[in-house]
Amino acid sequence: MASPLLFTFALWALLLTPGPTNSLMALAGGQKGLCRAASLIPAELGAYLIVVIPLAMLGKDGIASWPSQAIKLGAAIWVLHLALKLWRAAMPTGGTADITARQLFVTTLLNPKGLIIGLALLPAATHPAFALDLLILSLSVIAAALLWAGLGAGIGRVRWLPRIAAAWLALLSGGLAFGAMAH
């Protein structure tokens, strides 16, 4: 098993990568400011823990029969739905659609990063380092969410930011769908 430092480095490399959850957190920071966007962090952390703990308990063998293509396709559809919603909200007549805890929670549940963390980075739940690594994961998710929300808050409520976030989410959705069809 990896040392806590190596685990943290790998985790941060993954958590800081732009993806659907981080895009929503940055957009929330731009919409609400850092302090109000930080209120969404429990939804993100809860979703990650709901995914990674059972995966660490079941292990790779326990989920080998799960339909991964269906999970990827479901995630692609959800992310595309969010992209369309953000795009429409950015239209002159659309007003603003604030990012909600529910949207962030579902997006994080479907985020492939949770699978990677639960199956590749976290040790088995029976391993002595599991509790420490789970604590490191929790603190890292909080810190990464604050960084993304802070980035969004730094950019501010820019008119084109929802359109860029929508386009990015649509691109990620296409990648997820392609990945589901390729297997």
Side-chain angles (χ1 to χ4, degrees):
M1 282 294 132
S3 71
L5 184 60
L6 188 58
F7 173 73
T8 303
F9 180 75
L11 193 57
W12 273 77
L14 184 63
L15 289 175
L16 292 177
T17 303
T21 298
N22 292 338
S23 297
L24 291 181
M25 190 56 82
L27 192 56
Q31 290 174 339
K32 304 174 181 202
L34 178 60
C35 290
R36 287 188 51 220
S39 70
L40 298 173
I41 292 174
E44 180 179 343
L45 178 59
Y48 270 125
L49 293 177
I50 286 171
V51 170
V52 303
I53 291 173
L55 290 175
M57 294 175 103
L58 291 173
K60 293 175 188 158
D61 296 334
I63 66 155
S65 63
W66 287 11
S68 64
Q69 290 84 1
I71 293 169
K72 287 179 186 174
L73 197 54
I77 291 168
W78 173 257
V79 172
L80 182 60
H81 163 75
L82 288 175
L84 293 172
K85 189 172 181 176
L86 285 174
W87 190 268
R88 282 192 299 261
M91 297 173 98
T93 58
T96 58
D98 281 347
I99 302 303
T100 66
R102 180 184 159 275
Q103 289 171 327
L104 191 66
F105 180 79
V106 172
T107 300
T108 305
L109 278 178
L110 297 172
N111 193 332
K113 290 179 185 180
L115 295 174
I116 295 168
I117 294 166
L119 293 174
L121 296 181
L122 271 179
T126 57
H127 192 277
F130 180 74
L132 176 61
D133 285 353
L134 201 57
L135 175 63
I136 292 169
L137 168 66
S138 299
L139 295 174
S140 296
V141 166
I142 292 167
L146 285 170
L147 284 172
W148 279 98
L151 176 67
I155 294 171
R157 204 184 240 310
V158 179
R159 181 180 172 109
W160 48 263
L161 188 59
R163 287 279 173 102
I164 290 177
W168 177 247
L169 289 174
L171 184 65
L172 291 173
S173 172
L176 287 168
F178 180 76
M181 300 304 175
H183 287 99

